[in-house]
Amino acid sequence: MDVQTVIAQARDALTVDRVFGQPYERNGVAVLPAAWVRGGGGGGGGPTGGGGGGVEARPAGAFVIKGDSVAWQPAVDVNRVLVFATVALLVLRSVVKARAKTKRLRIVKAS
């Protein structure tokens, strides 16, 4: 596979259809899903040549169209929320432990 083939395949993969899904409508409300899409690739020359690439897509949200109004509804990535909450709790626990240790040292020094 040569570099030009890899570039052509990446160009085909990174289209607007990857970012915006097919709109659908129910009860007079149209929904247009959207995603964050990024891709990358590379290639090499030399006697054997070669190349590769990849595409990543994550839900970003959807445009909700009702009558003449359009609203953006962001997608909630539950995994990111859980990771953030876990890290926040661990940091909070460390801060509480450090303050308790400092308080104990002050009491010991005072007596």
Side-chain angles (χ1 to χ4, degrees):
M1 183 181 295
D2 66 351
V3 174
Q4 294 303 323
T5 304
V6 172
I7 291 171
Q9 289 176 346
R11 188 177 298 128
D12 292 341
L14 296 173
T15 65
V16 71
D17 293 335
R18 299 276 186 214
V19 176
F20 295 103
Q22 292 296 316
Y24 56 94
E25 185 177 348
R26 252 195 209 139
N27 300 327
V29 177
V31 177
L32 177 65
W36 295 104
V37 179
R38 64 181 173 184
T48 59
V55 176
E56 176 189 11
R58 291 184 176 190
F63 289 102
V64 179
I65 306 164
K66 185 175 184 180
D68 289 338
S69 67
V70 177
W72 172 254
Q73 292 294 318
V76 177
D77 187 348
V78 176
N79 290 330
R80 284 188 179 196
V81 171
L82 290 175
V83 168
F84 178 79
T86 302
V87 170
L89 287 173
L90 291 173
V91 168
L92 181 63
R93 186 181 83 172
S94 296
V95 168
V96 168
K97 280 185 170 184
R99 294 184 105 197
K101 184 177 180 181
T102 303
K103 189 175 181 180
R104 281 193 305 260
L105 288 174
R106 285 185 195 157
I107 292 171
V108 170
K109 286 182 181 179
S111 47

